[in-house]
Amino acid sequence: QITLGRATKDNQIDVDLALEGPAWKISRKQGVIKLKNNGDFFIANEGRRPIYIDGRPVLGGNKWKLNNNSVVEVSW
């Protein structure tokens, strides 16, 4: 499991998106990438802002299967 978001003193994450843009717009836990038993990777959007997978928006509370070479973008 890999956590994407904004690191704070009390919240450690794996990929700190605040290093890439306006930190205050990123959720502390924006998304989580998980490997399923069948070998598929899924990303779950746990933040308020959309996560785009290959140009398609994944809204908060939803998940999406990642394919080989998928492009993951977090909007600010």
Side-chain angles (χ1 to χ4, degrees):
Q1 172 172 308
I2 298 171
T3 306
L4 313 170
R6 173 174 44 94
T8 63
K9 183 174 68 172
D10 301 324
N11 183 52
Q12 296 302 313
I13 49 108
D14 299 309
V15 179
D16 189 357
L17 298 172
L19 300 173
E20 298 295 323
W24 59 273
K25 292 186 176 185
I26 300 294
S27 297
R28 284 183 291 273
K29 191 172 183 184
Q30 181 67 48
V32 177
I33 299 173
K34 292 183 180 180
L35 174 63
K36 299 294 184 179
N37 290 337
N38 65 359
D40 289 339
F41 284 94
F42 281 84
I43 188 166
N45 185 348
E46 298 187 3
R48 286 180 275 173
R49 302 210 176 255
I51 295 176
Y52 291 88
I53 309 300
D54 299 324
R56 292 190 172 120
V58 179
L59 303 178
N62 292 298
K63 65 181 180 179
W64 194 267
K65 181 182 176 214
L66 296 174
N67 296 312
N68 188 32
N69 294 322
S70 283
V71 176
V72 177
E73 300 172 90
V74 178
S75 67
W76 353 84

